[in-house]
Every structure is written in structure tokens, then in C-alpha cells.
Amino acid sequence: MSTLGELLLFILDLAWVIVLAHVIMSWLIVFEVLNARQRFIGQLWTALDNLLEPAYSRIRSFLPRTGAVDLSPIVLLVAIYFLRILIRNNLMY
């Protein structure tokens, strides 16, 4: 069981990094540090957005509208952290 648990923890770590990369990249694009019209940046942004949008849209369906602030990445990061705690605690026993 520990191998399966370690694999799940690795997948959750990878998801954590992908969400953080998406959030940081969105800030850099908004503050014009990165140019989304550059080919590589545009492709990376599209790939991350297509990967995370299904999860974000499910979270947005039950969150209240907050205007320009999108809270779905924060909720997703908290959910990933919560799942990591559950898996790690179950691996100890």
C-alpha cells in the first residue's frame, strides 16, 4: 500500500506545482512581465489553461462570484493539500 500511496503523493505534488505555475504565470502575464503573444509563452499558457480549466470550472460552479478575482486556484490548492494530509496519515497506519 505504501507504493500506491507514494505514487498518489507524487501525483498530488505534481498537480500542486502545475497549479502554482499557472497562477504565477497568470500574474506575470497580467503585469506584462511575460508576453502571451510570444509563441512559447502562448503555447505554455494554453496548455496549462486547458489542463486546469476543467477543475477550475467545477470549483467555480459552487463559489460565489467575486468579480475579477478568481478564487478557484486557491480552493484547488487547499483541496490538494487536504488530500496529501489524508494520504500521508493513512500511510502511517
Side-chain angles (χ1 to χ4, degrees):
M1 180 61 186
S2 67
T3 305
L4 180 61
E6 292 295 326
L7 180 65
L8 289 174
L9 287 175
F10 174 74
I11 291 170
L12 289 174
D13 285 342
L14 186 62
W16 178 274
V17 169
I18 290 171
V19 172
L20 279 180
H22 187 252
V23 168
I24 292 170
M25 192 171 176
S26 71
W27 291 343
L28 292 176
I29 289 173
V30 167
F31 292 119
E32 297 179 0
V33 175
L34 293 177
N35 186 358
R37 284 175 260 157
Q38 290 179 342
R39 185 175 186 170
F40 175 72
I41 300 298
Q43 288 175 345
L44 183 60
W45 176 254
T46 302
L48 287 175
D49 204 40
N50 288 340
L51 184 65
L52 293 171
E53 189 56 36
Y56 288 165
S57 64
R58 288 189 181 115
I59 293 170
R60 285 184 199 119
S61 68
F62 66 84
L63 283 179
R65 302 259 186 237
T66 56
V69 179
D70 186 14
L71 299 176
S72 57
I74 296 170
V75 172
L76 184 58
L77 287 173
V78 169
I80 291 170
Y81 187 73
F82 180 72
L83 287 172
R84 281 187 47 77
I85 291 172
L86 284 176
I87 292 171
R88 194 177 317 131
N89 286 342
N90 286 328
L91 284 178
M92 290 181 180
Y93 301 111

